[in-house]
């Protein structure tokens, strides 16, 4: 049986600075045990390439594209 995360971290974004978003996700990965955390990004129609970056570089993040 898969262990359920104890904490969900939700990030809401729209055309956020890519460097800032990358730094945020890299920091979360460093300081969390992903077995206990779930990271969800809710994107509100960004056109700056952030969704593509998340899909390519952060496969462990759940991306919701609105």
């Amino acid at each position: 049986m898969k262990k359920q995360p104890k904490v969900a971290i939700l990030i809401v974004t729209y055309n956020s600075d890519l460097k800032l978003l990358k730094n945020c996700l890299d920091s979360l990965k460093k300081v969390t045990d992903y077995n206990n955390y779930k990271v969800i990004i809710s994107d509100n129609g960004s056109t700056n390439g952030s969704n593509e970056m998340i899909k390519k570089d952060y496969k462990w993040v759940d991306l919701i594209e609105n």
Side-chain angles (χ1 to χ4, degrees):
M1 187 167 152
K2 186 176 180 181
K3 186 176 180 182
Q4 293 295 320
K6 293 183 180 180
V7 174
I9 300 168
L10 177 61
I11 300 168
V12 179
T13 185
Y14 173 72
N15 285 334
S16 294
D17 180 272
L18 293 180
K19 184 177 179 182
L20 182 65
L21 184 57
K22 182 175 174 41
N23 286 343
C24 176
L25 294 173
D26 290 343
S27 294
L28 285 172
K29 186 68 172 174
K30 285 180 186 176
V31 299
T32 60
D33 174 4
Y34 195 68
N35 292 326
N36 291 321
Y37 291 80
K38 181 174 191 161
V39 178
I40 304 165
I41 294 181
S42 177
D43 181 79
N44 291 311
S46 294
T47 58
N48 66 345
S50 56
N51 290 346
E52 291 78 11
M53 178 191 72
I54 294 165
K55 289 176 189 175
K56 179 179 175 245
D57 299 333
Y58 300 95
K59 296 183 188 309
W60 51 272
V61 172
D62 292 337
L63 176 63
I64 300 170
E65 298 178 80
N66 295 317

